[in-house]
């Protein structure tokens, strides 16, 4: 007579068969997740390094005529010698000047008095502002300027100025002449007579003449004040204009003080420190001496606080530097570029100096030069200070050089420490805002984004860069780039490469999954570029990462309109493109039965084709989606999806493409978990089981394991159980119990459990020593894997349902061993005496109490009741 508890165990559910009437424990849920539903891992798509450094690689979608050149000629004549102001990103509005025609000079005037000149350029006017301010102060202390120096005529009248003035750096109008009152007076002494020179500078009539007599300089480096002093000219023109109109409407990154302040160079410093170095640069010497002079010049300019500031003779200095570009030395050009960038040139000169650095950085052999001269800091400063709209093309070549530098791992830490990540993300944000504001792309911005995103792609290899990206909320900005530049394949590919790297880390998966619009963007990319393998494979890889560990991500992706249609269309397209590596033999035509020994031949798997690589990533996404309890049943009922998976198993073998076959089998395994009405898996269960035979006979243990897992789900069906017996698969499963591999033993035991549900198949366990191998599995893996131990006990329970004698059922040796093991494992102190951490120990205790212990107690009770003890059992020991 069976006890009520024994009767309950008599009706144990078969392996993997869910029970709707029983509330599942936490351990059961964990067990089912292990047994049936699994995510699939894969490698990130490989991106080969480009052979040549160019703005756009060979895979670019841009045609040569529609992209900026990577090769160009650059000479001294390419630069503008009139660049006299430091670049601040401001584009000054044109002056609305209407100068009047000058009246012919009177014959009574001094013969040295020159005719009035047309208005000079705005930069020059700002440069002379401080000089006029000092002239105004000197004149206000003495007698006014002679009236005859400004003759009046009927055809020309002096413009009377308003009696206005501003304190500080300001423009003032006195006696019809607008002058700038500057706070910065350089090193010129205030108690010496001052004279306004030809170029607007202030000369000291005594000391400076003496200095010029002792320290000579080339004629083009000297101030032109001597000639004007002889003429006694004190004005540039008879007309006047308001210098405040030079303030532009464009927004500058520089402050107003930085734009208006002009540094006056100390004549002594200029003649003693700068002029000798300029002479050295003009000599025809060797490259080493010229480079040394450039280094000294850079230090001298820095010492004199002349870098980044406007100062007199700046154009003379730049002109000397520009001439040296024609020398053609990369080392010299790099030093010249560093000085020119430090002088904050603008417009065309900024573009040309960025091109110069770009040209040098194209040669990988120059990386050491770039590192030694620390040109990276100068390039990043361009991006940080200059205005994007006014210097887009200069930014393009500047970013191109930075991209080349970032490709060298030696530069990564330096770039990140100098704020490259923050600078690039600020640039991307500015581009996004401008595009959203104006609704159109600015010229060259798309080309620029290619360089920026390619640089970020290199930087994210660094853990520090990834941390910075996570803290700056970079992922939403990158999603915006995809949204706004969906039609630019190069930009989208680079962003996809960034995401494919970042989503390999859990924190970024969580951050990107929280950006709800990313799913629609990724699906849109697949639809837009379905035939572009290099982009599609990365998008699918990203989706696989997002859905690997997040149920909300799986559900959100499937909720997007047309999600499954897009994925299945992609599957169908690349399956048609795929050409099998070798002709496979149809399993349907074979009637051979499976043997109990695994194949011993080994072959080297070939690399997957481009089409296979996409299918590998795509089947991973489908396997991950099938884990969701609401998504999985609908996928299992989709005949189109199941048909694509089955056709893949038909045409591929493990030798052809191992990863694709294993991923496809794993997807079928997840879908076969759901016992739903109209399941497409159940409609083809026998054919799928037949296709799995070629995996079972392979020497690939991963392929064998996946095939056994699928049979574990399918063997809940009576017809599949008959198929297993007819093809001797059960003998192979018993042999797998000797594999000493926990997962393999677990899956094989699951199929055997389902076979023992049917009474006529229980005796099959004795073939090949099945009982002994199950007891050995319990002994070897029980203390560390209570799920497997529980599965073994359930299988033995089913097998011994009609037991009359334990020895005749199990054999004396196995019966005694089983009694000893069960007695030991039911001792809590012995059973849970493993070296586990606290969380794992709690899990083991939970499963041991709720799952293993009830089954083991009833099995032990049955054995003791039907066992004939010839001698006392030894005390339990483990």
């Amino acid at each position: 007579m069976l006890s009520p508890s024994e009767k309950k165990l008599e009706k144990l559910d078969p392996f993997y068969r869910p029970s709707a009437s029983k509330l599942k424990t936490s351990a059961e849920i964990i067990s089912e997740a292990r047994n049936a539903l699994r995510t699939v891992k894969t490698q990130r798509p490989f991106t080969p390094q480009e052979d040549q450094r160019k703005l756009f690689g060979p895979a670019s979608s841009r045609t040569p005529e529609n992209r900026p050149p990577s090769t160009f000629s650059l000479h001294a004549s390419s630069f503008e010698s009139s660049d006299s102001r430091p670049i601040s990103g401001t584009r000054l509005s044109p002056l609305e000047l209407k100068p009047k025609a000058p009246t012919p000079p009177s014959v009574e005037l001094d013969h040295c008095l020159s005719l009035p000149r047309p208005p000079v350029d705005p930069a020059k006017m700002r440069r002379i502002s401080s000089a006029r301010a000092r002239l105004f102060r000197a004149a206000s202390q003495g007698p006014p300027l002679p009236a005859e120096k400004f003759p009046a005529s009927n055809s020309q009248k002096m413009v009377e100025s308003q009696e206005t003035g501003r304190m500080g750096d300001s423009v003032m109008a006195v006696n019809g002449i607008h002058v700038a009152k500057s706070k910065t007076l350089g090193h010129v002494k205030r108690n010496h007579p001052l004279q306004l020179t030809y170029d607007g500078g202030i000369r000291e009539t005594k000391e400076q003449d003496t200095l010029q007599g002792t320290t000579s300089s080339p004629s083009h480096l000297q101030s032109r004040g001597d000639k004007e002093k002889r003429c006694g000219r004190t004005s540039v023109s008879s007309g006047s204009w308001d210098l405040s109109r030079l303030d532009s409407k464009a927004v500058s990154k520089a402050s107003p003080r930085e734009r208006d302040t002009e540094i006056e160079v100390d004549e002594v410093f200029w003649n003693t420190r700068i002029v000798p170095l300029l002479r050295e640069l003009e000599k025809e010497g060797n490259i080493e001496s010229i480079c040394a002079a450039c280094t000294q010049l850079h230090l001298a300019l820095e010492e004199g606080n002349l870098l980044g500031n406007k100062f007199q003779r700046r154009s003379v200095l730049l002109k000397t530097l520009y001439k040296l570009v024609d020398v053609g030395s990369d080392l010299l050009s790099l030093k010249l570029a560093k000085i020119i960038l430090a002088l904050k040139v603008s417009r065309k000169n900024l573009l040309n100096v960025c091109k110069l650095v770009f040209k040098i950085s194209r040669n990988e052999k120059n990386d050491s030069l770039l590192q030694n001269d620390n040109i990276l800091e100068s390039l990043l400063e361009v991006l940080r200070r200059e205005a994007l709209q006014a210097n887009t093309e200069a930014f393009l070549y500047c970013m191109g050089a930075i991209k080349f530098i970032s490709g060298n791992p030696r530069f990564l830490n330096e770039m990140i420490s100098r704020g490259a990540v923050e600078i690039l993300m600020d640039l991307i944000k500015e581009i996004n805002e401008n595009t959203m504001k104006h609704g159109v792309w600015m010229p060259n911005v798309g080309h620029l984004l290619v360089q920026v995103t390619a640089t970020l792609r290199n930087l994210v290899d660094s853990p520090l860069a990834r941390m910075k990206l996570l803290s700056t909320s970079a992922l939403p900005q990158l999603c915006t780039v995809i949204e706004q530049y969906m039609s630019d394949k190069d930009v989208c590919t680079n962003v996809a490469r960034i995401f494919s790297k970042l989503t390999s880390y859990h924190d970024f998966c969580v951050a990107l999954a929280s950006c709800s619009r990313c799913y629609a963007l990724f699906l849109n990319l697949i639809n837009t570029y379905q035939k572009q393998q290099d982009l599609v494979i990365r998008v699918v890889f990203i989706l696989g990462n997002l859905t690997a560990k997040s149920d909300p991500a799986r559900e959100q992706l499937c909720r997007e309109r047309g999600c499954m249609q897009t994925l299945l269309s992609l599957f169908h397209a690349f399956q048609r493109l795929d050409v099998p590596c070798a002709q496979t033999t149809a399993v349907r035509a074979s009637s051979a039965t499976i043997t109990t020994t695994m194949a011993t031949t080994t072959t080297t798997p070939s690399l997957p084709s481009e089409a296979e690589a996409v299918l590998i990533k795509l089947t991973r996404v489908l396997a991950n989606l099938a884990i969701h309890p609401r998504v999985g049943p609908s996928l299992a009922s989709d005949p189109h999806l199941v048909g694509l998976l089955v056709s893949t198993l038909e045409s591929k073998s493990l030798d052809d493409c191992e990863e694709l076959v294993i991923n496809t089998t794993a997807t079928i395994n997840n879908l076969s978990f759901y016992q739903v009405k109209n399941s497409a898996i159940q409609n083809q269960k026998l054919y799928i089981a037949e296709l799995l035979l070629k995996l079972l006979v392979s020497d690939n243990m991963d392929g064998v394991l996946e095939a056994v897992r699928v049979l574990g789900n399918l063997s809940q069906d009576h017809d599949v159980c008959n198929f297993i017996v007819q093809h001797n698969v059960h003998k192979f499963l018993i042999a797998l119990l000797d594999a000493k591999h926990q997962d393999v033993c677990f899956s094989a035991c699951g199929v055997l459990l389902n076979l023992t549900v049917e009474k006529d198949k229980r005796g099959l366990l004795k073939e090949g020593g099945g009982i002994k191998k199950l007891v050995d599995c319990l002994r070897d893996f029980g203390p560390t894997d209570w799920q497997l131990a529980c599965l073994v006990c359930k299988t033995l329970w089913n097998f011994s349902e009609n037991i009359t004698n334990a020895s005749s059922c199990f054999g004396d040796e196995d019966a005694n061993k089983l009694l000893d093991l069960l007695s030991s494992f039911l001792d809590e102190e012995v059973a849970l005496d493993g070296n586990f951490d606290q969380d794992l120990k709690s899990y083991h205790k939970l499963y041991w109490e709720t799952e293993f212990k009830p089954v083991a107690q009833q099995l032990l009770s049955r054995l003791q009741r039907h066992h004939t003890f010839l001698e006392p059992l030894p005390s339990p020991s483990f």
Side-chain angles (χ1 to χ4, degrees):
M1 185 72 178
L2 297 175
S3 65
S5 59
E6 288 179 319
K7 290 181 180 179
K8 180 180 179 181
L9 286 174
E10 291 288 345
K11 299 181 180 180
L12 280 174
D13 289 336
F15 183 57
Y16 291 155
R17 182 172 294 169
S19 175
S21 60
K22 183 174 67 175
L23 183 62
K24 296 179 182 178
T25 64
S26 300
E28 286 177 311
I29 296 174
I30 295 174
S31 176
E32 287 184 355
R34 168 182 173 175
N35 298 339
L37 301 178
R38 297 183 313 105
T39 58
V40 179
K41 296 181 180 179
T42 188
Q43 294 181 347
R44 182 169 55 85
F46 173 71
T47 303
Q49 188 173 5
E50 297 176 358
D51 296 334
Q52 295 182 342
R53 291 182 171 184
K54 296 182 178 179
L55 283 175
F56 306 95
S60 174
S61 61
R62 287 164 164 78
T63 58
E65 59 272 12
N66 291 327
R67 63 188 184 194
S70 294
T71 57
F72 41 79
S73 59
L74 200 63
H75 305 286
S77 58
S78 304
F79 292 85
E80 294 178 342
S81 59
S82 61
D83 190 336
S84 58
R85 69 172 181 88
I87 179 66
S88 63
T90 303
R91 282 192 176 276
L92 299 177
S93 58
L95 294 174
E96 298 179 0
L97 300 174
K98 298 180 180 180
K100 299 180 180 179
T103 303
S106 173
V107 293
E108 299 178 358
L109 294 179
D110 189 348
H111 67 280
C112 292
L113 183 62
S114 61
L115 292 174
R117 298 175 178 270
V120 296
D121 65 322
K124 194 164 187 178
M125 286 305 302
R126 290 186 299 181
R127 190 176 64 192
I128 69 174
S129 60
S130 61
R132 288 194 171 186
R134 298 189 61 201
L135 175 63
F136 168 71
R137 287 194 297 270
S140 63
Q141 297 175 3
L145 296 175
E148 61 269 21
K149 296 295 181 179
F150 300 94
S153 62
N154 295 331
S155 59
Q156 177 179 2
K157 295 183 179 180
M158 298 296 297
V159 180
E160 297 297 333
S161 64
Q162 298 178 358
E163 295 181 358
T164 60
R166 290 182 293 165
M167 299 300 296
D169 294 339
S170 60
V171 177
M172 301 185 66
V174 179
N175 295 333
I177 302 175
H178 285 72
V179 296
K181 183 178 181 181
S182 174
K183 292 181 179 179
T184 307
L185 299 178
H187 300 281
V188 182
K189 296 181 179 180
R190 300 188 182 206
N191 58 351
H192 284 274
L194 304 175
Q195 184 177 2
L196 183 63
T197 63
Y198 174 83
D199 57 357
I202 302 298
R203 295 185 64 251
E204 299 185 19
T205 58
K206 294 183 179 180
E207 284 193 10
Q208 290 191 11
D209 289 344
T210 305
L211 290 173
Q212 288 183 359
T214 58
T215 305
S216 62
S217 60
S219 59
H220 68 280
L221 299 178
Q222 293 180 356
S223 172
R224 287 179 285 184
D226 294 336
K227 180 179 178 180
E228 297 303 326
K229 182 179 178 181
R230 292 193 305 268
C231 298
R233 188 162 63 89
T234 58
S235 66
V236 175
S237 68
S238 60
S240 65
W241 50 83
D242 189 355
L243 294 182
S244 63
R245 300 187 59 160
L246 298 180
D247 190 15
S248 66
K249 296 181 180 180
V251 178
S252 171
K253 294 184 180 180
S255 64
R257 180 174 296 275
E258 291 175 329
R259 292 196 301 267
D260 295 336
T261 302
E262 181 180 274
I263 300 299
E264 295 182 6
V265 184
D266 182 3
E267 292 288 343
V268 177
F269 181 82
W270 178 265
N271 292 328
T272 59
R273 296 295 306 278
I274 305 301
V275 170
L277 293 175
L278 294 181
R279 285 183 190 164
E280 189 69 25
L281 294 179
E282 290 184 337
K283 293 180 180 179
E284 294 184 1
N286 55 36
I287 298 298
E288 289 75 13
S289 61
I290 299 178
C291 291
C294 285
T295 302
Q296 295 176 18
L297 177 62
H298 191 280
L299 295 175
L301 292 172
E302 186 176 9
E303 180 184 349
N305 194 29
L306 300 179
L307 296 179
N309 291 308
K310 294 178 290 183
F311 60 89
Q312 300 170 13
R313 306 182 184 90
R314 179 172 176 270
S315 60
V316 175
L317 172 60
L318 287 171
K319 187 175 181 180
T320 303
L321 298 176
Y322 295 155
K323 289 180 180 180
L324 295 175
V325 173
D326 289 337
V327 174
S329 167
D330 287 346
L331 177 60
L332 176 59
S333 296
L334 200 59
K335 292 185 177 294
L336 294 174
K338 187 176 181 181
I339 300 176
I340 296 171
L341 287 174
L343 291 172
K344 301 297 186 294
V345 295
S346 61
R347 299 184 297 273
K348 184 177 179 181
N349 290 340
L350 178 61
L351 170 60
N352 284 330
V353 73
C354 288
K355 283 186 173 182
L356 183 61
V357 179
F358 172 85
K359 187 176 181 180
I360 298 170
S361 63
R362 285 196 63 194
N363 189 346
E364 190 173 352
K365 296 179 181 179
N366 289 332
D367 284 357
S368 58
L369 301 180
L370 297 170
Q371 190 171 30
N372 294 337
D373 274 317
N374 196 21
I375 195 66
L376 177 62
E377 182 179 5
S378 301
L379 296 175
L380 292 175
E381 185 68 14
V382 171
L383 301 180
R384 183 186 293 113
R385 289 180 58 91
E386 308 305 331
L388 170 62
Q389 296 185 14
N391 302 284
T392 308
E393 191 175 1
F395 272 42
L396 171 64
Y397 286 98
C398 178
M399 272 308 312
I402 295 175
K403 178 185 71 172
F404 298 152
I405 294 173
S406 68
N408 189 331
R410 292 183 302 168
F411 287 93
L412 286 184
N413 290 335
E414 180 186 355
M415 292 185 67
I416 296 168
S417 64
R418 295 189 181 280
V421 175
E422 295 87 346
I423 292 173
L424 296 184
M425 288 312 306
D426 287 343
L427 183 57
I428 288 178
K429 183 178 180 181
E430 182 179 358
I431 292 174
N432 287 337
E433 290 175 351
N434 288 337
T435 305
M436 286 188 292
K437 180 179 180 180
H438 301 289
V440 294
W441 298 355
M442 293 186 296
N444 287 321
V445 167
H447 303 322
L448 174 60
L449 268 177
V450 174
Q451 314 308 314
V452 175
T453 51
T455 305
L456 275 178
R457 178 194 65 202
N458 294 333
L459 291 178
V460 296
D461 289 333
S462 168
L464 182 58
R466 293 195 296 268
M467 183 178 66
K468 288 180 177 291
L469 285 174
L470 200 60
S471 63
T472 56
S473 302
L475 301 187
Q477 289 294 335
L478 292 174
C479 287
T480 302
V481 170
I482 294 179
E483 184 177 7
Q484 295 183 347
Y485 291 84
M486 181 70 67
S487 60
D488 193 324
K489 189 247 182 183
D490 294 343
V491 172
C492 293
T493 300
N494 282 343
V495 176
R497 286 173 174 170
I498 295 172
F499 282 153
S500 67
K501 288 185 176 184
L502 294 180
T503 54
S504 299
Y505 303 91
H506 176 69
D507 290 343
F508 283 95
C509 282
V510 174
L512 185 57
S514 63
C515 185
S516 58
R517 60 193 174 114
C518 74
Y519 304 100
L521 291 175
F522 292 143
L523 293 174
N524 195 6
L525 279 176
I526 294 176
N527 289 325
T528 304
Y529 299 101
Q530 188 179 89
K531 296 182 180 180
Q532 304 296 326
Q533 187 268 355
D534 58 333
L535 175 55
V536 167
I537 190 174
R538 287 167 175 82
V539 174
V540 178
F541 176 75
I542 296 165
L543 292 176
N545 291 342
L546 293 177
T547 57
K549 297 182 180 180
S550 172
D551 249 2
R554 296 165 190 149
E555 185 174 15
Q556 182 67 30
L557 176 59
C558 288
R559 281 183 177 180
E560 294 295 335
R561 179 180 297 180
C563 170
M564 290 310 303
Q565 181 181 356
T566 297
L567 297 179
L568 295 184
S569 175
L570 184 67
F571 199 138
H572 180 72
F574 276 89
Q575 193 176 66
R576 292 182 60 184
L577 291 174
D578 183 29
V579 179
C581 300
Q583 187 67 29
T584 58
T585 304
V587 181
R588 186 189 296 273
S590 174
S591 58
T593 58
I594 190 170
T595 62
T596 59
T597 59
M598 292 186 294
T600 58
T601 58
T602 59
T603 58
T604 302
S606 58
L607 293 176
S609 64
E610 290 186 352
E612 287 174 336
V614 174
L615 294 176
I616 288 169
K617 306 304 188 272
L618 184 54
T619 51
R620 176 187 179 225
V621 175
L622 296 172
N624 293 347
L625 292 177
I627 297 176
H628 195 281
R630 287 189 293 274
V631 176
S634 64
L635 297 183
S637 303
D638 190 336
H640 187 197
L641 169 59
V642 175
L644 291 171
L645 296 172
V646 170
S647 63
T648 300
L649 286 184
E650 288 177 337
S651 61
K652 294 292 180 181
S653 68
L654 288 169
D655 294 336
D656 295 335
C657 188
E658 174 185 335
E659 190 175 2
L660 176 57
V661 173
I662 291 176
N663 283 7
T664 302
T665 309
T667 305
I668 293 175
N669 172 57
N670 288 356
L671 296 177
S672 64
F673 172 78
Y674 301 100
Q675 305 296 316
V676 295
K677 187 178 180 180
N678 299 325
S679 170
I681 293 289
Q682 293 299 319
N683 293 339
Q684 300 191 60
K685 56 183 179 292
L686 291 178
Y687 183 49
I688 292 175
E690 193 174 355
L691 291 173
L692 295 176
L693 293 180
K694 61 180 181 180
L695 274 69
L696 291 174
V697 298
S698 71
D699 61 341
N700 188 306
M701 189 54 68
D702 290 333
V704 171
L705 178 58
E706 290 300 335
V708 175
R709 282 170 171 161
V710 177
L711 290 176
N713 287 332
L714 297 181
S715 59
Q716 298 179 58
D717 184 85
H718 173 73
D719 294 335
V720 175
C721 288
N722 289 337
F723 175 88
I724 290 174
V725 175
Q726 291 171 5
H727 291 79
N728 291 327
V729 177
H730 65 286
K731 296 181 180 180
F732 183 77
L733 297 174
I734 292 174
L736 287 177
L737 296 176
D738 282 332
K740 303 303 180 182
H741 188 290
Q742 281 182 255
D743 287 338
V744 172
C745 292
F746 184 89
S747 300
C749 188
V751 181
L752 295 175
L753 172 59
N754 285 344
L755 289 177
T756 59
V757 172
E758 301 184 11
K759 295 181 179 181
D760 60 332
K761 297 181 177 61
R762 292 172 181 170
L764 299 175
L765 282 182
K766 289 189 174 182
E767 299 181 12
I771 299 299
K772 180 180 183 305
K773 293 178 180 179
L774 285 172
V775 175
D776 289 344
C777 283
L778 182 63
R779 179 197 63 198
D780 295 337
F781 302 122
T784 58
D785 192 343
W786 294 115
Q787 293 184 55
L788 176 55
C790 182
L791 208 57
V792 171
C793 290
K794 288 182 178 181
T795 305
L796 295 176
W797 174 266
N798 285 355
F799 172 76
S800 61
E801 179 183 14
N802 298 321
I803 185 175
T804 56
N805 184 279
S807 297
S808 61
C809 182
F810 295 103
D812 289 336
E813 181 181 355
D814 293 333
N816 289 330
K817 187 185 297 184
L818 186 58
L819 282 168
D820 187 19
L821 289 173
L822 292 175
S823 298
S824 299
F825 292 164
L826 287 173
D827 185 341
E828 182 173 351
E829 292 184 2
V830 174
L832 301 178
D833 190 25
N835 295 324
F836 308 116
D837 57 38
Q838 192 60 36
D839 293 338
L840 195 58
K841 189 171 184 178
S842 300
Y843 160 72
H844 275 271
K845 182 177 181 180
L846 173 65
Y847 201 94
W848 179 83
E849 289 179 345
T850 60
E851 298 298 319
F852 173 78
K853 186 176 179 180
V855 178
Q857 284 177 336
Q858 298 304 323
L859 180 59
L860 177 62
S861 176
R862 175 183 284 180
L863 286 174
Q864 290 174 340
R865 188 169 59 253
H866 295 285
H867 187 63
T868 302
F869 295 97
L870 300 179
E871 57 184 26
L873 286 174
S875 59
S877 61
F878 179 72

